[in-house]
Amino acid sequence: DTEVTQTPKHLVMGMTNKKSLKCEQHMGHRAMYWYKQKAKKPPELMFVYSYEKLSINESVPSRFSPECPNSSLLNLHLHALQPEDSALYLCASSQDPPGTNEKLFFGSGTQLSVL
Amino acid sequence: GNSVTQMEGPVTLSEEAFLTINCTYTATGYPSLFWYVQYPGEGLQLLLKATKADDKGSNKGFEATYRKETTSFHLEKGSVQVSDSAVYFCALRRNSGGSNYKLTFGKGTLLTVNP
């Protein structure tokens, strides 16, 4: 299994809603990542978990809250989002910790629309 | 800081045409260089990489050579297929120092191959 699985594929939410994005991998990878990709733009790193601990937060607003319940799962909890947060949210994983010339495996993403 | 500049798209070619997508970079030290591909509705996939000067990355008929003297990593393919239609991202990562975990992406180049 060389897949990173993200659910849901599409999500529409209001600005007062609370929702969660989920990401799962069964490759035994020890680092997991959240990226945000606006339309026609490159992905931008948001968070990195290494060995289930948050190791990098790229100054992301607190309305985005990551969680790593175990080595296979990564969640992104969303609360009080703004319309400008609408984007494709990509999860990725790597066998090796970040900064060690690791290869990233990306999921297909969750297309989020905030109304 | 680090930056990646890719040729503006979109690029439209006929099947079996020769492809070049230019990529130049600015970075301190000796970064690792990557090409990622994003097919419609999917996440990014690593296409090829090079970790030091004069290295040539290759995969699926695509090639790119790490040219330190011109700070370039141009992507080439001798004969494109319809199935190569996708967005191609050039990226770099520093191999030492701060932020060496972080991929810096170019803006992406949309390639459309017509039959």
Side-chain angles (χ1 to χ4, degrees):
Chain A
D1 185 357
T2 58
E3 282 193 356
V4 175
T5 304
Q6 290 188 242
T7 55
K9 291 194 180 302
H10 301 275
L11 179 63
V12 179
M13 61 186 289
M15 290 189 285
T16 58
N17 292 159
K18 287 185 181 181
K19 297 287 185 183
S20 296
L21 309 184
K22 296 185 184 304
C23 175
E24 191 167 3
Q25 56 86 14
H26 296 287
M27 296 178 277
H29 289 179
R30 304 316 300 261
M32 297 185 77
Y33 309 70
W34 280 115
Y35 281 82
K36 174 182 177 180
Q37 186 179 20
K38 301 281 279 183
K40 300 183 193 282
K41 299 288 187 185
E44 297 175 353
L45 183 65
M46 299 174 73
F47 302 104
V48 182
Y49 274 81
S50 182
Y51 294 93
E52 301 166 47
K53 292 191 182 337
L54 181 65
S55 60
I56 295 163
N57 177 342
E58 290 284 306
S59 302
V60 179
S62 60
R63 58 185 184 270
F64 296 91
S65 175
E67 179 198 19
C68 190
N70 60 56
S71 60
S72 299
L73 294 175
L74 183 67
N75 298 322
L76 185 63
H77 302 298
L78 313 173
H79 174 54
L81 294 195
Q82 304 297 312
E84 59 265 28
D85 296 321
S86 299
L88 180 68
Y89 288 84
L90 293 167
C91 175
S93 70
S94 63
Q95 174 65 43
D96 298 314
T100 58
N101 209 23
E102 72 284 3
K103 176 180 177 179
L104 293 180
F105 290 76
F106 282 85
S108 298
T110 295
Q111 187 65 55
L112 174 68
S113 297
V114 181
L115 304 180
Chain B
N2 300 332
S3 67
V4 175
T5 303
Q6 287 181 238
M7 65 186 287
E8 294 285 331
V11 174
T12 302
L13 297 173
S14 298
E15 209 164 21
E16 299 183 5
F18 184 85
L19 169 70
T20 300
I21 301 178
N22 290 339
C23 172
T24 57
Y25 67 89
T26 302
T28 54
Y30 303 98
S32 293
L33 302 174
F34 306 83
W35 277 100
Y36 279 84
V37 58
Q38 187 173 29
Y39 297 102
E42 298 186 12
L44 279 71
Q45 300 176 24
L46 179 64
L47 182 60
L48 52 85
K49 71 176 186 179
T51 57
K52 61 183 188 296
D54 300 325
D55 268 2
K56 178 186 280 189
S58 61
N59 185 25
K60 300 181 181 179
F62 291 90
E63 293 184 339
T65 301
Y66 189 143
R67 301 283 188 204
K68 181 170 177 292
E69 62 277 12
T70 54
T71 61
S72 65
F73 193 54
H74 304 322
L75 182 68
E76 296 182 335
K77 186 174 185 181
S79 176
V80 293
Q81 305 300 311
V82 172
S83 57
D84 293 326
S85 298
V87 179
Y88 292 81
F89 291 96
C90 184
L92 70 79
R93 188 181 55 227
R94 291 176 60 180
N95 287 326
S96 63
S99 301
N100 66 327
Y101 55 86
K102 193 171 176 179
L103 279 171
T104 299
F105 288 94
K107 292 185 177 180
T109 302
L110 173 62
L111 170 67
T112 301
V113 180
N114 294 318

